[in-house]
Amino acid sequence: MQDLVIPAPDRPTLPTSVGGRFPVRRVYCVGRNYAAHAREMGHDPDREPPFFFTKPSSALVTDAADTAYPPGTDQLEHEVELVVALGRSGHDLSVTDALGLVWGYGVGLDLTRRDLQAEAKRLGRPWDLAKGFDASAPIGTLVPAAGVDPTSGAVELRVDGDLRQSGDLADQIWSVAETIAELSRWVALAPGDLLLTGTPDGVGPLQRGDVLDGSIAGVGTVHTRIV
């Protein structure tokens, strides 16, 4: 092995319900995968299928830690999502084979600098600084895929106890299997990859001091406080 000229960065990991930790490689997100959310953002889900963007693995917030309010925005918003954790490699997969890559599932938050995203859309620029900033992906404990049905289950997010988002995995435009298969056409998927699968409608602003509790029936929870 060659000597490193700087120390190698730590690889982020997520807690699991089986005691060990899940090492994270890459984080993919699918946009506008719930019709009601697509409409609230001003888009037509019948004309515009979901698409993919990424966050760095360093964006993770784990173990119910506090989440720092990011600089450069006055409009931080929440999006609660199902997280899919891959344990096997694959590319150009069929929908039938896609779920065979899944190690487990969790609940996560796609935090968004909405004002920066709106400006990027207006100028036709990438979303990186709107979506992929530090501490933009709080994620809860992962559970093994066995026994989890990723096609249905109530999805909720509460902020300071008040219900903000409410939907169901059955409302997804693309199922988890279809989303994995589609993504595998564009990149070679590998163990450690995460996929955040979109959010129901009801996204909204956050302030310092807000306490977020997300849940998906049959999957788990995510908890963080904005500081």
Side-chain angles (χ1 to χ4, degrees), residues 86-101:
L86 303 186
R88 294 177 56 197
S89 299
H91 64 91
D92 202 17
L93 298 164
S94 69
V95 173
T96 302
D97 293 336
L99 291 182
L101 269 62

Side-chain angles (χ1 to χ4, degrees), residues 19 22 37 43 52 55 59 73 81 117 124 138 156 161 166 171 173 176 192 203 205-206 214 217 219 221:
F22 183 91
H37 173 59
H43 301 279
F52 300 99
K55 293 177 181 278
T73 182
E81 316 207 359
Q117 185 188 36
E156 290 189 352
S166 180
D171 300 332
I173 298 171
V176 170
V203 303
L206 294 169
V219 178
T221 62

Side-chain angles (χ1 to χ4, degrees), residues 28-33 37-38 43 48-54 117 121 127 131 173-174 179 182-183 186 195-198:
Y28 293 99
C29 306
V30 59
R32 298 199 285 266
N33 200 22
H37 173 59
H43 301 279
E48 298 177 357
F51 59 91
F52 300 99
F53 59 93
T54 63
Q117 185 188 36
K121 288 179 179 180
W127 292 7
K131 287 286 193 178
I173 298 171
W174 285 4
T179 301
E182 177 65 16
L183 182 57
W186 302 99
L195 177 61
L196 278 65
T197 57

Side-chain angles (χ1 to χ4, degrees), residues 5-190:
V5 298
I6 62 171
D10 292 334
R11 188 170 185 179
T13 65
L14 289 169
T16 75
S17 63
V18 295
R21 296 187 71 89
F22 183 91
V24 176
R25 180 172 180 258
R26 298 178 295 190
V27 182
Y28 293 99
C29 306
V30 59
R32 298 199 285 266
N33 200 22
Y34 288 74
H37 173 59
R39 293 189 185 99
E40 78 174 344
M41 301 305 293
H43 301 279
D44 181 350
D46 296 324
R47 286 193 305 108
E48 298 177 357
F51 59 91
F52 300 99
F53 59 93
T54 63
K55 293 177 181 278
S57 59
S58 59
L60 269 60
V61 178
T62 69
D63 302 280
D66 290 346
T67 298
Y69 194 102
T73 182
D74 295 317
Q75 194 177 358
L76 180 67
E77 294 197 353
H78 57 74
E79 300 184 10
V80 64
E81 316 207 359
L82 175 70
V83 178
V84 182
L86 303 186
R88 294 177 56 197
S89 299
H91 64 91
D92 202 17
L93 298 164
S94 69
V95 173
T96 302
D97 293 336
L99 291 182
L101 269 62
V102 178
W103 182 89
Y105 299 95
V107 186
L109 298 169
D110 169 14
L111 300 182
T112 303
R113 289 165 162 156
R114 193 70 72 195
D115 45 359
L116 272 66
Q117 185 188 36
E119 182 73 354
K121 288 179 179 180
R122 185 181 69 83
L123 297 173
R125 294 177 177 173
W127 292 7
D128 297 62
L129 295 182
K131 287 286 193 178
F133 52 92
D134 296 338
S136 61
I139 295 178
T141 299
L142 300 179
V143 299
V148 174
D149 178 5
T151 66
S152 66
V155 181
E156 290 189 352
L157 178 71
R158 294 180 182 272
V159 178
D160 293 335
D162 296 328
L163 185 63
R164 290 278 192 92
Q165 291 186 260
S166 180
D168 197 283
L169 296 178
D171 300 332
Q172 294 179 47
I173 298 171
W174 285 4
S175 69
V176 170
E178 290 168 334
T179 301
I180 294 171
E182 177 65 16
L183 182 57
S184 77
R185 294 179 52 223
W186 302 99
V187 296
L189 299 173

